[in-house]
Amino acid sequence: MFIYFWSLVCWYFRPVIKWLLRHTTQMCELQRICYGELAGAPRTLAVEESLKLSRNPNIKTLIAYLNDFADQCAITSETKHKILKEAIATVLVTKKINPAAHPDFAKSFGKCVELIWGYRQLCVQCEDLRKTPYDADNPEHELLLLKLWNLLMPYEPLDARVTKQWQHIGFQGDDPKTDFRGMGILGLENLVYFAQEYPSAATHVLSHSTHPRYGYAFAIVGINLTSMALRLLRDGSAKTHIYNYSRSLPTIRAFHQFYCYLFYEFDGFWIHSKPNNMMEFSSIQEKFENSIRTALTNKSTVFRINISVDDV
């Protein structure tokens, strides 16, 4: 009840407060944010909130315009400049900002727009990959799966396409395709990216997964962490990291990097937890996810893999 009441108060008094601040500072809210907040998540999150709460019809039209581009995955290196230029021009005119008097605003605001709608587009791209089922009749999917094996087990050739050897890297049965049902091709792309971009870290984690006491199913856990990473992306929790991590338009690479961090850190978290068996996986993963969510509430958070080899 209190939250509802406070929301009403903010809704009615926000325009008054904005008007007073504009006349005392001679700057609109977006200017105050771009000049007063640190680059990355602090500034971008504040700009995003300001745009979302705006009642100005021009701003609302701009948001719908940008949403449409992002939802169609139409923001590319070729179209980005034109889209950002139009967004900046709309705000300059709507907010009556003199670009000559405020030359830094356009650059700061444009970067925020790039991150906000790049993130939205990234969500769409990841969801499209998740909805793409693994197809054993698709040569590209089969080659990607074989690549995963060769990256993780370079000295052990596969006896056949369907073989118990897949269990050596943590798949449940003789044919890995059934394990990708929940996360589709996104789960496989995450695993391959981790093994390819961080071979020593992936080998390190794989060795832990075969530990006689604390071992776990490497691939299955990896696919579960894809689900976790996607959950954090969808609900916006990952914005803090992505906005701080990305120097330009966030791409699928940003999601893969985020996933790699989660996999590497979860491995250490699992070993440190000293589980009795795999039955504890759900509770340990929940604790791990809560710790990640807590870290992401800090607007300065950015995750980077810090590789350290141990003898567990």
Side-chain angles (χ1 to χ4, degrees):
M1 186 65 185
F2 174 77
I3 295 175
Y4 175 72
F5 176 74
W6 180 247
S7 298
L8 285 177
V9 171
C10 291
W11 174 257
Y12 285 110
F13 284 95
R14 188 171 186 274
V16 177
I17 295 171
K18 286 176 65 178
W19 183 86
L20 288 171
L21 288 172
R22 171 130 201 178
H23 282 75
T24 54
T25 65
Q26 298 301 306
M27 291 188 293
C28 70
E29 183 177 57
L30 289 173
Q31 286 176 288
R32 295 194 300 272
I33 292 170
C34 287
Y35 296 151
E37 296 285 355
L38 293 174
R43 182 183 298 164
T44 307
L45 288 168
V47 165
E48 187 172 16
E49 183 70 8
S50 176
L51 292 173
K52 184 176 74 174
L53 294 175
S54 177
R55 304 180 197 182
N56 186 289
N58 291 339
I59 298 298
K60 288 184 175 182
T61 300
L62 173 63
I63 291 172
Y65 169 80
L66 293 170
N67 285 347
D68 189 52
F69 267 96
D71 293 345
Q72 295 182 46
C73 295
I75 307 175
T76 65
S77 55
E78 291 77 23
T79 64
K80 182 180 71 173
H81 178 73
K82 178 176 180 291
I83 293 169
L84 292 180
K85 186 177 179 181
E86 290 175 355
I88 293 167
T90 297
V91 169
L92 290 176
V93 171
T94 301
K95 299 297 183 180
K96 298 181 174 60
I97 301 171
N98 183 345
H102 298 278
D104 295 331
F105 173 76
K107 182 179 179 181
S108 296
F109 177 72
K111 179 59 63 180
C112 291
V113 170
E114 185 177 3
L115 291 173
I116 293 165
W117 276 275
Y119 185 96
R120 184 183 178 102
Q121 180 169 274
L122 177 59
C123 290
V124 174
Q125 292 169 334
C126 287
E127 187 61 23
D128 286 345
L129 288 170
R130 185 199 67 79
K131 291 189 294 188
T132 303
Y134 184 92
D135 183 1
D137 294 324
N138 185 323
E140 291 184 5
H141 292 187
E142 287 287 282
L143 285 173
L144 197 60
L145 181 60
L146 182 60
K147 183 177 183 179
L148 176 64
W149 175 268
N150 290 332
L151 286 167
L152 294 174
M153 307 291 283
Y155 306 113
E156 183 182 335
L158 279 173
D159 295 334
R161 166 61 180 79
V162 178
T163 170
K164 291 188 181 299
Q165 286 176 284
W166 289 112
Q167 296 175 36
H168 298 172
I169 59 172
F171 286 103
Q172 292 184 99
D174 300 352
D175 192 347
K177 70 177 184 181
T178 59
D179 293 329
F180 293 114
R181 276 177 292 197
M183 286 295 110
I185 206 67
L186 181 64
L188 177 55
E189 286 198 2
N190 273 167
L191 286 167
V192 170
Y193 187 93
F194 183 39
Q196 180 172 271
E197 298 299 317
Y198 298 98
S200 61
T203 301
H204 174 62
V205 172
L206 182 62
S207 69
H208 277 180
S209 75
T210 59
H211 190 275
R213 183 173 177 183
Y214 304 130
Y216 55 86
F218 176 91
I220 297 301
V221 167
I223 294 169
N224 271 277
L225 291 172
T226 293
S227 178
M228 173 182 160
L230 188 57
R231 190 160 55 247
L232 293 168
L233 191 77
R234 283 170 177 163
D235 68 20
S237 299
K239 285 179 179 178
T240 304
H241 164 74
I242 298 294
Y243 289 167
N244 286 327
Y245 169 84
S246 302
R247 294 291 175 265
S248 57
L249 186 74
T251 64
I252 193 66
R253 181 179 182 275
F255 182 75
H256 287 321
Q257 289 280 341
F258 180 49
Y259 166 84
C260 291
Y261 173 85
L262 294 178
F263 203 164
Y264 187 76
E265 290 299 316
F266 176 78
D267 173 71
F269 193 88
W270 173 266
I271 296 297
H272 181 75
S273 299
K274 294 181 169 52
N276 293 315
N277 51 56
M278 277 298 292
M279 296 298 290
E280 295 184 41
F281 176 78
S282 294
S283 62
I284 290 175
Q285 186 189 28
E286 184 178 355
K287 291 176 184 175
F288 176 69
E289 182 171 337
N290 288 339
S291 71
I292 294 296
R293 288 185 180 278
T294 299
L296 288 169
T297 60
N298 184 335
K299 292 181 182 179
S300 66
T301 292
V302 58
F303 295 133
R304 303 188 191 283
I305 291 182
N306 182 22
I307 299 174
S308 59
V309 178
D310 56 50
D311 299 318
V312 173

